[in-house]
Amino acid sequence: MAYKITDECISCGVCAMECKNEAISEGEETYVIDPDKCTECVGNFESPRCAEVCPVDAPVLDPEHVESRDELLAKWHRLHPGATSVSA
Ligand code: SF4
């Protein structure tokens, strides 16, 4: 399940700097997460970094993008061909 950023976002940009999938960018009113690139940090970290670093808890799981861990890992491999994930 990809994460999404709620209206609580104050556009500090901290999450975008932490995202190794480059899934987070500045939108018109808040930062936004590209669900095609978000793996819930599967492959990169043991837990979702954006949710951990956000000062206002704006990143939340997006129920409109439900995916299994295997699907998230497959997405990670598509984004990082040839790389070794932290959670293979
Ligand atoms: Fe918005 Fe939180 Fe990301 Fe800052 S860390 S840009 S407040 S979602």
Side-chain angles (χ1 to χ4, degrees), residues 8 12 14 22 24 29-30 33 35 38-39 43 45-46 50 61 68 79 86 88:
E8 299 296 311
C12 69
V14 171
E22 298 183 356
I24 306 176
E29 295 185 358
T30 67
I33 296 178
C38 176
T39 62
F45 300 105
E46 295 299 330
C50 63
L61 284 168
S68 69
L79 292 169
V86 299

Side-chain angles (χ1 to χ4, degrees), residues 5 8-16 24 31 50 53-56 58-59:
I5 292 175
E8 299 296 311
C9 174
I10 55 172
S11 294
C12 69
V14 171
C15 56
I24 306 176
Y31 272 63
C50 63
V53 300
C54 178
V56 294

Side-chain angles (χ1 to χ4, degrees), residues 18-58:
E18 290 288 323
C19 182
K20 289 198 170 188
N21 290 349
E22 298 183 356
I24 306 176
S25 59
E26 190 171 7
E28 285 188 18
E29 295 185 358
T30 67
Y31 272 63
V32 293
I33 296 178
D34 181 347
D36 291 334
K37 293 183 175 178
C38 176
T39 62
E40 295 179 33
C41 281
V42 168
N44 293 323
F45 300 105
E46 295 299 330
S47 54
R49 290 295 291 154
C50 63
E52 289 174 358
V53 300
C54 178
V56 294
D57 295 332

